[in-house]
Structure formats: structure tokens, C-alpha cells
Amino acid sequence: RFDVDNENDLLSLSDETEDSYLEDVEDIISSFTEKQSKPRKAICSDNLENDYNGEKIIYSKKSNKVKENLFMILKKSILFMFLKDSILFTLISSLEEVTINKNQILFDKGDDGNKMFIVYSGVLKCSNINIITREETNILRYYKKEQILGEISIMYQSKRLARITAEEDSILFSLSRDTYNTIVLNKTIQNLKSTENFIEKIPLLSRMKLNER
């Protein structure tokens, strides 16, 4: 409770209270900004943490040039274009390089699908086969450099719908469904918690309902 003698004192007190509140908000924002701007591990580093709530993620070394190329490829895919760059670079660090020789089958129709592949170099043939004789019946399409195949395996647990064969020696990068889910889900949860903690420190915003923030 405040004791005031006249309206001018009340207005003066109101101004001082508002100024004090704004200063508190500025201090909170300044503290948060300073924390975010502190040096941290480079998102392109190969020495990233490999434990996400008990799930072990294996990272493979890649040159910065390879990482940049993979980044540009994934950014064109609807599955990855809306991810934050930090999450995308973490996924890129987890991609496993796969070398496949000419005429070698990458996977066959009916195989369990749990990985997608990025064609980094080379050409691969997608063909339909007779499920009984296992012989090729017709060519459906070709996958070339910078194209992605098998994305549906990241979203759903399903069987492969066609055979993929290398038309020439090729280099691919693979990403498993488990790795994708582990990294994307955990990173998203971390970002949400960080935002929530920031909001909780601002009195005006902390009183808002969750769906209003």
C-alpha cells in the first residue's frame, strides 16, 4: 500500500513504478541476449554431444565443403526446409557415408525401409521387379546428384516399393528414422524449454496462458 498526498504524487509514483518495471524487463532481455551470444561449439563441429536422453548418436567426420553441400541439398526438401539451421547441421553431422559400386543393389522391393539416402555423386536406377522371380520388369526413374530417395522411410515404417541399383559408382549419405526422430524431437523440445524459461522471467508474459504465449 502506498501513501500519497495528491494526484501529482500518485502520477509520479506510477511513472517511477513503470520505469522500474521496464528496467527489470531490459535487464532480463539483456541477460538472455548475453547468454545467447556467448561462444559455443560450432554447429559444424564433429565434436558434438552424442547423447540425447540416453539415445546414442554416431557422428562421422566431413569437410566443411561437404557439409555446406549437404545443407543446400536438404534445404530444398520439404522434410527439412523448415528446420532450424542448428538442427539441420546436427543432422548433417550424423549422416553416414555410403559407397556403392556400379550394378550393386542398394535395397530391393519389399525390404524394410528405415533410412533415406542423399545422392552426393553418381546415378541410381529405380525399377519395379517381379516379386516372385525377382527380375526387373520396368524402369521407373533415375536418381542423380543432389537428389534424395527413400524419404518416406523417415516418416513411416514401411516396405520398399522398388529396387534401387547403382548405374555407376556412387557416393550416398544415409539418415535413419531413429536418428532423425531423436535429434529433431529433442532439439525442438530444448528450444521450446529455452523460450518458456525466458518468458517465465518476464512478469507481464508469465501471467499469460500457455496458448497465449
Side-chain angles (χ1 to χ4, degrees):
R1 180 178 177 179
F2 300 99
D3 294 324
V4 293
D5 296 330
N6 54 52
E7 184 177 351
N8 289 334
D9 289 338
L10 180 60
L11 292 175
S12 176
L13 179 60
S14 177
D15 290 339
E16 290 176 0
T17 303
E18 181 179 358
D19 290 342
S20 176
Y21 174 78
L22 291 176
E23 287 177 2
D24 289 342
V25 172
E26 288 175 357
D27 289 341
I28 293 171
I29 295 176
S30 176
S31 174
F32 182 81
T33 304
E34 181 181 352
K35 182 184 297 184
Q36 296 299 311
S37 63
K38 287 182 179 180
R40 58 176 182 167
K41 289 179 180 177
I43 55 179
C44 292
S45 171
D46 287 307
N47 298 317
L48 296 168
E49 294 293 333
N50 66 344
D51 193 328
Y52 285 81
N53 290 343
E55 295 290 336
K56 295 295 182 180
I57 303 298
I58 299 176
Y59 297 103
S60 59
K61 292 184 178 180
K62 303 173 186 69
S63 68
N64 288 335
K65 181 63 176 177
V66 170
K67 290 177 181 178
E68 291 171 5
N69 291 339
L70 291 171
F71 179 84
M72 297 305 296
I73 295 171
L74 292 177
K75 269 297 184 181
K76 299 175 185 177
S77 169
I78 188 68
L79 194 60
F80 302 96
M81 63 174 56
F82 298 110
L83 294 179
K84 287 189 173 183
D85 289 357
S86 59
I87 298 177
L88 195 52
F89 273 115
T90 303
L91 282 173
I92 288 171
S93 294
S94 72
L95 294 177
E96 181 182 356
E97 183 174 333
V98 179
T99 301
I100 182 170
N101 300 321
K102 182 178 180 179
N103 297 325
Q104 182 179 345
I105 296 175
L106 178 64
F107 57 75
D108 219 336
K109 183 176 182 178
D111 289 350
D112 289 330
N114 62 356
K115 291 182 179 180
M116 56 156 267
F117 297 87
I118 302 168
V119 182
Y120 195 76
S121 66
V123 179
L124 294 101
K125 177 178 64 177
C126 176
S127 58
N128 197 12
I129 65 168
N130 184 301
I131 200 66
I132 297 176
T133 64
R134 311 303 295 179
E135 294 182 354
E136 182 181 297
T137 57
N138 61 296
I139 298 174
L140 302 175
R141 61 167 296 177
Y142 290 92
Y143 287 97
K144 300 180 180 180
K145 181 179 179 180
E146 298 186 359
Q147 292 186 316
I148 301 174
L149 60 98
E151 301 105 309
I152 193 172
S153 298
I154 295 295
M155 306 301 296
Y156 310 103
Q157 185 174 355
S158 59
K159 300 288 186 180
R160 299 294 189 184
L161 301 177
R163 172 183 289 173
I164 299 293
T165 309
E167 284 286 281
E168 58 185 59
D169 293 347
S170 305
I171 296 176
L172 316 173
F173 284 94
S174 69
L175 174 66
S176 72
R177 185 192 312 116
D178 289 343
T179 297
Y180 175 85
N181 288 336
T182 299
I183 292 177
V184 172
L185 290 179
N186 279 281
K187 279 287 187 179
T188 301
I189 290 172
Q190 289 174 12
N191 290 336
L192 288 175
K193 286 182 177 179
S194 178
T195 302
E196 184 69 19
N197 290 336
F198 171 65
I199 291 176
E200 287 291 344
K201 293 180 180 179
I202 302 179
L204 181 62
L205 297 180
S206 64
R207 293 193 292 269
M208 298 171 65
K209 296 179 180 179
L210 289 176
N211 62 346
E212 296 175 335
R213 297 178 180 176

